[in-house]
Amino acid sequence: QVQLVESGGGLVQPGGSLRLSCAASGISFSFYSMGWYRQAPGKQRELVAKITDVFSTNYLNSVKDRFTISRDNARQMVYLQMSSLKPDDTAVYYCNAHWEQRRVDYWGDGTLVTVSS
């Protein structure tokens, strides 16, 4: 059974930092690109950051230089370090596992990040 379990969300003041974690199980983790998406109320889900199986990364323009995605294949974990948080970063953040060759996608249930004073 595939599971992606996010953690680390919460309430933070503007300018603060949070680290999101995603624990994966039931997949051959090293073969997957891992991504963090977010969905704010009334908006479409968007890709925030992605790290491929060969550790190539890309980011949403609005989070570049503030967010860093990383992965630990041995622990089957992916992280999103978020700093200089803004109210616009408020959203539910979802972990995604994607294997292009097999056209497979898995999603976690999400973790809420609220940036507010």
Side-chain angles (χ1 to χ4, degrees), residues 8 17-18 20 30 40 44 51 60 62 64 70 73-74 82 106 110:
S17 298
L18 278 177
L20 304 184
S30 63
Q44 289 190 329
I51 184 166
L60 181 69
S62 62
K64 282 181 182 177
S70 61
N73 284 355
M82 306 185 294
Y106 298 107

Side-chain angles (χ1 to χ4, degrees), residues 83-102:
S83 61
S84 302
L85 282 161
K86 306 174 181 179
D88 283 350
D89 295 318
T90 295
V92 177
Y93 284 71
Y94 297 91
C95 180
N96 169 264
H98 176 73
W99 191 347
E100 179 66 27
Q101 289 89 340
R102 296 193 176 183

Side-chain angles (χ1 to χ4, degrees), residues 38-95:
R38 69 185 181 189
Q39 187 166 19
K43 295 188 177 181
Q44 289 190 329
R45 190 174 296 190
E46 62 182 355
L47 174 64
V48 177
K50 183 175 74 173
I51 184 166
T52 70
D53 58 338
V54 294
F55 292 79
S56 175
T57 59
N58 64 283
Y59 296 90
L60 181 69
N61 280 342
S62 62
V63 309
K64 282 181 182 177
D65 301 323
R66 299 190 297 122
F67 291 9
T68 301
I69 190 170
S70 61
R71 65 189 293 162
D72 183 337
N73 284 355
R75 292 184 168 86
Q76 299 201 150
M77 298 287 294
V78 62
Y79 306 99
L80 186 68
Q81 179 67 47
M82 306 185 294
S83 61
S84 302
L85 282 161
K86 306 174 181 179
D88 283 350
D89 295 318
T90 295
V92 177
Y93 284 71
Y94 297 91
C95 180

